[in-house]
Amino acid sequence: MPSFPIIFHPLYDIQYSGEIRFPIQKYQQLKLLLETEGILRRRNLFVPSPITSSMASRTHDPSYVNRVKNFTLSERQKRKIGLPSIDRFCVRSFVAAGGTLLAAKLALKFGFAVNAAGGSHHAARFEGAGFCIFNDVAIAVNCLLDEGKIKNVIILDLDVHQGDGTANIFETDDRVYTVSIHCQKNFPVRKANSNLDKGLAVGITDKIYLDNLDHTLSEISHVPADLLVYNAGVDIHENDNLGFLKVSSAGIKLREKKVVNFA
């Protein structure tokens, strides 16, 4: 079994007994599955430190960062994010972003690394949205760019929803090439402009999805990048009630192989 760095923090798992559309229990379930299958062991488990406010403010407006830190988000901001027990999620957002930053650093060192949380791609500079408080990918990328660890990066977002927050954050940054393959008739209603967007029709299955992925990877093969950041959303799955696409488990497995081989 190949071993690679996997990042997980106990705060990824928030216990919540009420109804919530966001499946928060998936993080602990994922960790248990990885351990059961022998993929996650003590030697390749990395626990991240939370990012600081100054690190978050390289991407997000400082006043918004302070509201998150001090638990003073407005009611409108809370509604737009849509998470219950928002204060606990605010604490978690600093840790999840730290996990993505650590994964990026370890990927630069070892060639490949995974954060078991993150991908909060709806969060933009001035506010969060769609279960996303901080844009952890954007924070990690900006930190590495500012520190001179990388010069160019590709962000490949294959979540069923468009990465609108990420696209907005990097809209004028030529060092970052944003790509989003998503369901066109899904959240967000108003799409942003990634460097490359592919909005797919409701109900498409494996072949059309994977053909679009192949064409996309071919299109970006010329783009210079020291790092590929991959948002591996599995809500394209045929059993996801909110995803609107019909990709099978085998199709998702093949998707991941194609992305890893491309990287």
Side-chain angles (χ1 to χ4, degrees), residues 126-148:
F126 293 97
E127 61 183 354
F131 305 140
C132 303
I133 296 175
F134 286 155
N135 194 310
D136 56 286
V137 167
I139 289 170
V141 167
N142 276 326
C143 285
L144 293 177
L145 286 169
D146 288 351
E147 294 168 10

Side-chain angles (χ1 to χ4, degrees), residues 60-74:
H60 296 286
D61 180 73
S63 64
Y64 173 67
V65 173
N66 285 333
R67 282 184 174 274
V68 173
K69 180 180 180 180
N70 298 322
F71 312 133
T72 56
L73 290 171
S74 68

Side-chain angles (χ1 to χ4, degrees), residues 178-219:
T178 55
V179 184
S180 181
I181 304 178
H182 50 269
C183 180
Q184 185 66 20
K185 291 188 177 179
N186 207 323
F187 182 87
V189 174
R190 181 176 295 178
K191 303 295 190 287
N193 293 316
S194 307
N195 291 103
L196 179 59
D197 282 301
K198 292 203 175 177
L200 306 179
V202 170
I204 67 161
T205 53
D206 291 14
K207 186 179 187 310
I208 296 177
Y209 184 90
L210 294 171
D211 283 348
N212 273 275
L213 175 60
D214 286 338
H215 293 151
T216 300
L217 295 179
S218 178
E219 287 181 68

